[in-house]
Amino acid sequence: MLEPLNEGFLSRISGLLMCRWSCRHCCQKCYESSCCQSSEDEVEILGPFPAQTPPWLMASRSSEKDGDSVHTASDVPLTPRTNSPDGRRSSSDTSKSTYSLTRRISSLESRRPSSPLIDIKPMEFGVLSAKKEAIQPSVLRRTYTPDDYFRKFEPRLYSLDSSSDDVDSLTDEEILSRYQLGMLHFSTQYDLLHNHLTVRVIEARDLPPPLSQDGARQDLAHSNPYVKVCLLPDQKNSKQTAVKRKTQKPVFEERYTFEIPFLEAQRRTLLLTVVDFDKFSRHCVIGKVSVPLCEVDLVKGGHWWKALIPSSQNEVELGELLLSLNYLPSAGRLNVDIIRAKQLLQTDVSQGSDPFVKIQLVHGLKLVKTKKTSFLRGTIDPFYNESFSFKVPQEELENASLVFTVFGHNMKSSNDFIGRIVIGQYSSGPSESNHWRRMLNTHRTAVEQWHSLRSRAECDRVSPASLEVT
C-alpha cells in the first residue's frame, strides 16, 4: 500500500523528481531506479508543479491529526496486489513505480516548448478525468507602427545621385566610358608639423563641350572651366581656381591649404567640382570627384587621375554675405553694416570679380532709399566693413524691407548680377526672417548673421519688395 511521504522529505526530492508522492519504505531504491521495471498498472503521476492536492491526501492528513495512521480502501482506490506478509508492498513493486515515474517525467520534459515565439500557458497534469481542455499555443506577432515603417525606408535606394553604390563599384575606365565627362588630376599631402592639408589641383582633360540650359550661351564649342575645392561636410569654406578660357584640357597648377587637425581630416571627404564659367548664362557643373580621406595615406600623399561623375547639383552657389543690423528706437535710425562676403560667383574670366553691394530700403511696396558699397577688384572674398544708416520711425519699422543685391562691377557694360536677399516685412527666406526678428527683439544691439545669396527669379517669386527694385 502506498502512503504519502512527510512534507520535510517531500521538499527535498520534489525539485528533482517533479513529483509530490512516492513510496514510504523504498524511496532510496526507487530514486536510483535499480529495483523495478515498467508496469502497466502504476499509480497516476502528479506533476509538474503546480498541481492540485488530491482528495485522498486531504483525507489522510485529517485522519493523521485524529491519531489514525491507517488508510482504508475507500480513501484511496488501489488495484489489488499481492502484498508481503507484513502488509507492505515489496521493494520490487515500489522500484517499478519509481522507474515509471522517472520515465514519465522525462517524456514530459521532452515535450516542453523551447521556441521564444510560442506563448504557452501554464499547464497542469493531474488525475485523469473525463473533462479535458485543449490548450492551443498562440504565436506572438510583432505589430509595426508607422514610425517602424518609415525607419526602414532608405532614401539612398531611391536617389538619382550618381554617387551611389553602383558608381563606387565601377573603375575609372568604366565611369569614363559611361559618362564621358573627362578626368581630373590632383594630389593631397598632410603636413604634420604645421597641421594643415594641402590640395593641389593640377589639370583636367577630355572635358565635354558646354551645354546651354537657357539658350543664352554664345560659344558652344569651348568651355571655360574652373575647379571648386572643399572638405565635406563643410561646403562654406571652399576654394576656387582661376578660370581657364576656351579649353577642354585646362592646366591649373594651383595649391590650397586647409587648416585642420589630422584626426579631423581623416573624417572628411575631399570634393572637387569642375564648373563651366559663362558670363552671359548660368555657371554649369560639368562633373565632380569625391575622395574619402580615410581611404588614402595623407602623410605619404599621392597623385590621382579620377574620372568625373555627374553631380546632382547642376548650378553652383552664388556666395554668402555677412550683415549686421541694429535699430535705435530713440533716434529712429536703422543701422546696417556690410561686413564681408565669401565665395561669390565669378563674373570675370581673367580676374575673378569686382563685387559691390547695393542696399535699398523699401517701405511697403515703395522704394525709399538706395545706397551701395565700394567695389573691390579681382576677388570673390571681399572685406567691406562699411556702415549705412536709414531713417525709419518706429511705427514704420514693421512695414520696412531691406533689399541687398551683390553685383560685379563692369566698366564696359551693365553690372553683372551675382545674388540677392531681402530682409524685413517681405523676407526672401526663413534665415532672413529670423535675422529681422532677432533685431526687433534686441534694440540697440547689433545682430550679425551670414546669408546665402539667392537668384533674382527666386527673390521675385517670394518677395514683393524684390520686384520694386532693380
Side-chain angles (χ1 to χ4, degrees), residues 1-4 43 53-64 66 68-79 127:
M1 178 181 297
L2 293 179
E3 297 182 4
V43 179
T53 304
W56 57 269
L57 177 61
M58 299 295 296
S60 66
R61 287 185 176 178
S62 60
S63 61
E64 286 180 357
D66 298 336
D68 185 13
S69 60
V70 180
H71 294 272
T72 63
S74 60
D75 294 329
V76 183
L78 296 176
T79 304
V127 180

Side-chain angles (χ1 to χ4, degrees), residues 255-304:
R255 298 173 183 267
Y256 301 98
T257 300
F258 296 89
E259 302 289 339
I260 184 173
F262 179 74
L263 295 179
E264 178 64 23
Q266 289 184 315
R267 292 192 286 266
R268 298 295 186 92
T269 298
L270 175 64
L271 176 64
L272 300 103
T273 307
V274 182
V275 186
D276 185 16
F277 171 88
D278 184 21
K279 182 178 180 64
F280 303 101
S281 180
R282 297 179 179 179
H283 295 198
C284 298
V285 177
I286 299 176
K288 69 176 183 179
V289 171
S290 58
V291 180
L293 297 181
C294 61
E295 299 178 0
V296 301
D297 190 344
L298 294 178
V299 178
K300 183 179 178 181
H303 293 250
W304 295 275

Side-chain angles (χ1 to χ4, degrees), residues 386-443:
E386 299 185 26
S387 299
F388 305 90
S389 182
F390 298 90
K391 176 128 182 108
V392 181
Q394 188 170 6
E395 59 273 11
E396 299 179 0
L397 185 61
E398 294 183 355
N399 298 324
S401 298
L402 291 172
V403 182
F404 299 88
T405 308
V406 182
F407 290 96
H409 181 69
N410 195 324
M411 296 290 294
K412 299 179 181 179
S413 61
S414 61
N415 296 323
D416 302 316
F417 177 88
I418 297 179
R420 171 180 291 175
I421 59 170
V422 182
I423 300 178
Q425 180 187 12
Y426 301 110
S427 296
S428 55
S431 175
E432 294 86 337
S433 299
N434 181 55
H435 194 182
W436 183 258
R437 185 166 51 253
R438 289 170 55 202
M439 187 269 297
L440 294 178
N441 295 333
T442 55
H443 291 169

